[in-house]
Amino acid sequence: MALFPTYVKREMVPAKGEGNVLIDEQGKRYLDFTSGLGVCNLGHCHPRVTAALTEQASCLWHVSNLFPIPIQQRVAERLTQATGMGAAFFCNSGAEANEAAIKLVRKAAQEKRGITNPEILTFKGSFHGRTLATLTATGQEKVKTGFSPLPAGFVTIAPEMEAVREATHEQTAAVMLELVQGEGGVCPIDPTFLQELVLFCHERGLLLVVDEIQTGMGRTGTLFAAQQYGLHPDVMTVAKGLGNGLPVGAMLARAELKEHFGVGSHGTTFGGNPLVMAAANAVLEELEQESLLGQVREMGEYLCSLLQERIGEHPAVTQIRGMGLMIGIQLLQEAGPIITSCEKEGLLVLPAGPNVIRLLPPLLVTKEEVKVAVTTLAHVLTRQMSTPQVG
Ligand SMILES: Cc1ncc(COP(=O)(O)O)c(C=O)c1O
């Protein structure tokens, strides 16, 4: 295979996507509880997004950011109105959105507070991307191995106030965090810690950057998870579900920070082009329906309670946790073999670290599909336990 072996490839070869189902080359159907790593939140080939894309594709794909792009303006307005933010910068991925956030908070710290070597605090277990800056920000050693020298200006600490207070000094510019650590095992933040952290940031003039790349776009039952915590961050990053499969990310910031990203301070060739913006606009139109987000909350609760009922007492399961339709099943054993067996049974699920099965079904998942998925998981787990281990 003429590819870098950066991924262990699965067996099934997806050939077609239909809503909440993926179909392989042999025509076998799989219930997709991965949504492509939390991307196709509206399911595969969603009619509204497909129609918007098809129309845009026959009209204009790309112009550079040197020209006004009305659809980009519209998406920026939709996102800023929904979040109370003042401005958006569009890019192509989550890591790029976080890069933009890092650049913005560094520049703001220098220009506003005279900080010459700004430092950003991040948390153990977090994941912020694979570029050099974002992997340095990430609180997981495995993504950093072999990539020294890493850029300066990041300190990773435990998510505890004592650690935050200890790590903060006059060069500290910002705190960056996920509200539910996704890649780190689907771990929701402690609301008391978050409350204290917000107050602390306010007192010390630190900017709060919330990475909503995995939690955003309806995944947790509100458009952004921050809304459920009553949180108004200074900077918010979005990607994954924003384009429902088209590569697009966004960095949103409060109006006061707009001046720090002036002409020439940041840029992108592809970011926010008409084609991806047509997809993002259609996605946002769809998610603006409150009934859809209500359905996410309802299905999330149903999925969690059914999991609890069917596998909560299973000896291999230690915890079922999450928010909305972002759910983690903590196991005492490796998640890999369970995930492979589920795939054979027609259910696609994800890992989040070595011992966690992560469920990220499409937001339009039905009760019937939830029942099928939980039954498959329960069946696979029971069979795995009763199969004698070799070696
Ligand atoms: C919370 C979070 N931040 C950033 C990223 C990086 O996004 P991308 O892979 O689009 O660069 C991810 C990807 O999984 C993520 O979950």
Side-chain angles (χ1 to χ4, degrees):
M1 211 168 27
L3 289 170
F4 279 106
T6 49
Y7 286 93
V8 177
K9 296 283 184 188
R10 293 191 176 202
E11 256 177 42
M12 83 86 100
V13 183
K16 191 171 162 47
E18 267 176 21
N20 306 338
V21 169
L22 271 179
I23 302 161
D24 73 9
E25 287 180 321
Q26 284 74 44
K28 180 174 167 185
R29 297 172 75 84
Y30 297 76
L31 194 48
D32 184 6
F33 269 42
T34 72
S35 306
L37 287 176
V39 168
C40 307
N41 284 2
L42 297 176
H44 298 281
C45 306
H46 184 275
R48 188 197 283 256
V49 186
T50 304
L53 258 182
T54 312
E55 194 186 330
Q56 189 64 49
S58 64
C59 172
L60 179 68
W61 289 31
H62 180 87
V63 286
S64 78
N65 279 300
L66 296 171
F67 294 92
I69 303 174
I71 185 97
Q72 188 187 86
Q73 188 60 38
R74 241 184 343 268
V75 176
E77 278 160 13
R78 283 207 139 95
L79 284 171
T80 51
Q81 271 163 23
T83 55
M85 290 295 192
F89 179 89
F90 291 107
C91 52
N92 310 292
S93 68
E96 276 189 36
N98 283 339
E99 282 278 343
I102 292 162
K103 285 179 72 175
L104 179 70
V105 299
R106 282 185 172 187
K107 202 150 179 295
Q110 287 175 22
E111 292 172 0
K112 245 193 179 132
R113 294 176 54 205
I115 292 178
T116 46
N117 282 305
E119 217 166 73
I120 299 174
L121 304 183
T122 68
F123 295 106
K124 286 191 177 142
S126 64
F127 183 81
H128 297 298
R130 298 282 195 162
T131 61
L132 278 173
T134 58
L135 74 81
T136 308
T138 292
Q140 299 185 46
E141 281 312 306
K142 64 180 183 197
V143 306
K144 307 182 195 209
T145 309
F147 297 115
S148 294
L150 301 179
F154 298 94
V155 178
T156 302
I157 55 172
E160 293 157 6
M161 277 319 294
E162 201 184 324
V164 174
R165 284 196 194 94
E166 218 165 85
T168 303
H169 52 84
E170 68 284 356
Q171 298 291 310
T172 310
V175 177
M176 183 169 180
L177 76 161
E178 294 165 86
L179 297 174
V180 182
Q181 288 184 345
E183 302 304 308
V186 192
C187 303
I189 195 166
D190 173 4
T192 311
F193 166 64
L194 181 64
Q195 216 172 12
E196 286 175 17
L197 180 68
V198 171
L199 274 177
F200 181 82
C201 287
H202 197 69
E203 278 165 22
R204 300 292 292 260
L206 309 183
L207 295 172
L208 192 66
V209 181
V210 173
D211 177 340
E212 289 253 22
I213 286 158
Q214 193 159 150
T215 51
M217 304 310 292
R219 174 56 55 195
T220 64
T222 42
L223 190 57
F224 294 102
Q227 293 164 292
Q228 291 182 59
Y229 289 96
L231 185 64
H232 301 282
D234 299 291
V235 181
M236 186 187 271
T237 52
V238 191
K240 289 196 185 279
L242 181 57
N244 210 55
L246 275 244
V248 51
M251 187 275 290
L252 310 172
R254 279 186 192 262
E256 309 89 85
L257 293 170
K258 204 169 169 177
E259 63 185 284
H260 302 293
F261 253 13
V263 173
S265 55
H266 196 43
T268 166
T269 294
F270 294 117
N273 86 7
L275 195 63
V276 297
M277 287 292 105
N281 191 52
V283 168
L284 284 164
E285 273 177 359
E286 197 66 19
L287 289 179
E288 277 163 12
Q289 304 166 56
E290 187 46 37
S291 62
L292 194 152
L293 294 173
Q295 196 184 320
V296 175
R297 292 191 290 273
E298 199 180 309
M299 271 314 131
E301 276 167 31
Y302 180 62
L303 174 53
C304 249
S305 65
L306 202 58
L307 284 168
Q308 209 70 55
E309 186 187 313
R310 298 288 306 277
I311 61 166
E313 301 297 317
H314 192 283
V317 175
T318 57
Q319 197 185 26
I320 296 163
R321 55 179 181 250
M323 219 172 146
L325 284 169
M326 181 173 182
I327 291 169
I329 304 164
Q330 179 82 47
L331 301 174
L332 279 173
Q333 63 184 79
E334 296 240 314
I338 310 279
I339 292 170
T340 306
S341 298
C342 283
E343 181 175 315
K344 291 198 170 87
E345 305 270 327
L347 172 68
L348 304 174
V349 295
L350 290 164
N355 306 113
V356 177
I357 297 173
R358 180 173 31 159
L359 307 181
L360 298 174
L363 306 185
L364 304 164
V365 69
T366 65
K367 214 166 174 174
E368 266 326 296
E369 288 166 335
V370 166
K371 279 187 205 163
V372 170
V374 175
T375 303
T376 307
L377 261 168
H379 174 66
V380 165
L381 271 167
T382 307
R383 202 183 47 205
Q384 206 90 9
M385 286 304 284
S386 54
T387 309
Q389 304 291 307
V390 182

